[in-house]
Amino acid sequence: MSIKDNLLAIEENIEKALIKSGRKDDKVELIAVTKTIDVDRIQEAINLGITNIGENRVQELEKKIEVIGGKVDYHMIGHLQTNKVKYIVPKVKMIHSLDRLSLAKELNKRANMNSLTINALIEVNVAEEESKFGLKIQEVVPFIEEVLKFKNIRVKGLMTIAPYTENVESIRYVFKELYKLKEDISRRNYENLSMDYLSMGMTNDYEVAIEEGSNMIRIGTGIFGTRNY
Ligand SMILES: *Cc1c(COP(=O)(O)O)cnc(C)c1O
């Protein structure tokens, strides 16, 4: 299928999932995950209406920003090493993978040096998979209370990567749990924090994620086809 057909199919599926979950007037932001995808194909997706690009490696992200420029927003969705923070803070719209205090400290420092506030989502490892980064559910509130002390970070919501499975129903609880956590945090009315985004749902599971309250999905394969690493 072409990128165009893929995007049309995704739009339709988003619509259906929203209707199914009784929130047909809600919006879901689509982030095109462009890791390993060459710039020509990314440009094609942009010409078809993509406005958000997600990358999980700093070097690749920097390279693509250099070529594509400021016509889209960039999201850092992968694990972020502290020593690479300085390269991307002024260039990205949001970091989806804030998962430790050392990273928060460095993000704050670099944002401050650039006289800006950096938007961040807290990455939560809901299923507690050994292979994945992110905080456990019960660690998130204490962590946020620490992050709130950093004046140049703005927490905007939560992110999770669900376990890969052929049986998507078996991971529905992951999305439910993250939604519940978001509601819990919202109720605490912290200053300088807004639970605007639930970044959950990838090619394999975005429909279920939307049914459970996602408003930001990160899709690579579903747009560009299988990646060649
Ligand atoms: C690669 C990646 C995605 C997209 O995965 P697909 O299955 O290709 O849609 C989403 N989120 C993160 C963090 C990723 O690394």
Side-chain angles (χ1 to χ4, degrees):
M1 291 237 288
S2 67
I3 293 176
K4 185 177 181 181
D5 290 339
N6 288 339
L7 285 173
L8 285 172
I10 291 166
E11 284 304 325
E12 219 170 90
N13 292 335
I14 292 173
E15 218 39 58
K16 272 189 214 152
L18 282 174
I19 289 168
K20 194 168 164 188
S21 55
R23 46 184 200 115
K24 77 174 171 51
D25 296 325
D26 282 7
K27 286 269 171 294
V28 174
E29 278 197 44
L30 171 61
I31 297 177
V33 177
T34 53
K35 58 192 181 203
T36 78
I37 305 301
D38 59 47
V39 171
D40 286 351
R41 305 188 64 228
I42 301 173
Q43 299 280 17
E44 189 183 339
I46 293 170
N47 291 337
L48 291 163
I50 286 296
T51 56
N52 289 289
I53 297 289
E55 280 281 344
N56 65 347
R57 291 216 178 85
V58 168
Q59 233 185 351
E60 202 177 336
L61 179 60
E62 278 195 287
K63 252 198 237 158
K64 284 171 180 166
I65 293 175
E66 220 167 86
V67 184
I68 297 165
K71 61 187 168 198
V72 288
D73 290 325
Y74 298 93
H75 298 255
M76 177 61 198
I77 61 174
H79 181 65
L80 182 53
Q81 284 172 266
T82 310
N83 63 357
K84 303 231 167 108
V85 166
K86 57 176 173 285
Y87 302 116
I88 58 162
V89 157
K91 299 179 185 165
V92 299
K93 176 84 180 288
M94 193 141 74
I95 311 274
H96 291 228
S97 46
L98 177 51
D99 62 352
R100 60 199 191 281
L101 275 179
S102 58
L103 178 59
K105 195 172 164 203
E106 180 66 12
L107 282 170
N108 188 66
K109 176 178 154 191
R110 297 291 168 179
N112 185 264
M113 287 170 72
N114 286 281
S115 309
L116 50 82
T117 49
I118 180 88
N119 296 322
L121 306 180
I122 311 295
E123 182 171 354
V124 189
N125 186 358
V126 177
E128 299 189 15
E129 287 180 284
E130 289 287 342
S131 61
K132 294 222 170 89
F133 294 100
L135 297 161
K136 294 180 185 167
I137 293 250
Q138 66 272 20
E139 294 170 336
V140 174
V141 166
F143 179 72
I144 281 180
E145 290 180 353
E146 289 301 311
V147 172
L148 286 173
K149 295 173 186 164
F150 296 110
K151 294 303 167 203
N152 291 74
I153 298 178
R154 184 78 191 236
V155 175
K156 288 278 199 178
L158 308 172
M159 178 271 225
T160 197
I161 303 171
Y164 181 81
T165 170
E166 308 258 301
N167 173 14
V168 202
E169 282 306 321
S170 73
I171 52 169
R172 185 181 286 275
Y173 81 96
V174 168
F175 306 124
K176 268 193 208 293
E177 290 287 311
L178 202 69
Y179 182 83
K180 273 200 326 216
L181 180 61
K182 183 200 88 152
E183 292 292 288
D184 171 20
I185 295 165
S186 292
R187 275 193 300 270
R188 292 169 190 257
N189 286 318
Y190 293 117
E191 244 176 84
N192 282 322
L193 172 149
S194 50
M195 284 283 116
D196 294 341
Y197 295 110
L198 264 189
S199 170
M200 57 185 196
M202 305 171 32
T203 299
N204 186 51
D205 56 23
Y206 68 95
E207 287 124 312
V208 173
I210 293 168
E211 285 168 24
E212 298 303 333
S214 168
N215 62 1
M216 188 171 257
I217 57 177
R218 312 175 308 268
I219 301 200
T221 316
I223 298 173
F224 299 105
T226 312
R227 283 181 291 273
N228 303 305
Y229 282 102

